[in-house]
Amino acid sequence: MTRSRHAAAAARRMRQRIGVAVVAILLAHPAAGDPFDDGLAAYFSGNYAAALRLWMPLVELGDAKAQNNVGILYENGEGVARDDNEAARLYRLASTKGHADAQLNLGLMYEQGRGVAQDRVRAHMWFSLSAAMSAGSMLWGGLGALTARDAVATKLTPEQLAQAQVLARRCRETN
């Protein structure tokens, strides 16, 4: 298994662990009609079609959290046919709004060449942006982004690494 696959597998395992914690919180404090939270509850209970139905109006309104989560549905084929192109599109929408998990997910798509042309420079850029957005929060995404960024850096030439760093810096500067 390659390092990027290890990072992706670790990210999936962490998502599942977080999911268990989120379900426990949701059960202790039921959502009060919030479509996003209701979608989370549906997702973690395995009702992916309901999660999709609840999140799609939010996606259309530009909600980055919903865009990322629907991207996960498409990437995993949960409640919809698996579609890496649609997953990457949704991750990109959320990523451009600064959603750290979507940036990590989009970076993984670029690293693996799923839904987008494989581009390790862009993967490094998205991992760097995700790590910067997650800095100090100790969320799994920040650690996953750092691990993935460092793993992909070993596959880049010094020139490619410099290019990725310039791209990430430009993105941060232009918001």
Side-chain angles (χ1 to χ4, degrees):
M1 193 177 262
T2 65
R3 280 184 158 180
S4 62
R5 285 193 177 169
H6 282 294
R12 276 189 227 100
R13 285 191 302 275
M14 190 58 75
R15 263 190 221 134
Q16 290 170 342
R17 288 184 198 123
I18 290 171
V20 170
V22 169
V23 169
I25 291 168
L26 289 173
L27 291 175
H29 306 287
D34 179 270
F36 184 80
D37 289 340
D38 290 346
L40 278 179
Y43 179 84
F44 289 117
S45 69
N47 190 346
Y48 306 124
L52 180 67
R53 186 175 61 253
L54 289 160
W55 286 333
M56 280 311 291
L58 299 174
V59 166
E60 293 165 11
L61 291 172
D63 183 284
K65 293 184 302 183
Q67 290 166 338
N68 179 67
N69 288 11
V70 173
I72 291 169
L73 293 175
Y74 276 100
E75 182 179 3
N76 296 327
E78 297 169 327
V80 294
R82 182 177 173 167
D83 186 341
D84 287 340
N85 293 326
E86 183 63 7
R89 184 186 78 79
L90 290 162
Y91 291 151
R92 183 174 289 104
L93 288 173
S95 291
T96 59
K97 294 178 181 103
H99 193 281
D101 291 341
Q103 292 168 338
L104 172 60
N105 292 335
L106 184 57
L108 290 169
M109 300 295 272
Y110 273 108
E111 166 67 11
Q112 299 163 6
R114 291 185 306 110
V116 294
Q118 186 177 42
D119 184 339
R120 291 190 173 113
V121 170
R122 293 248 181 243
H124 190 282
M125 178 198 78
W126 286 116
F127 294 148
S128 294
L129 292 170
S130 176
M133 292 299 296
S134 302
S137 68
M138 295 307 293
L139 293 175
W140 73 268
L143 297 174
L146 288 172
T147 301
R149 184 198 65 198
D150 293 347
V152 79
T154 65
K155 300 173 186 172
L156 299 177
T157 65
E159 295 79 18
Q160 290 172 318
L161 182 57
Q163 181 185 10
Q165 292 167 340
V166 166
L167 288 172
R169 186 172 42 255
R170 283 185 191 154
C171 284
R172 282 190 297 272
E173 289 170 356
T174 60
N175 219 10

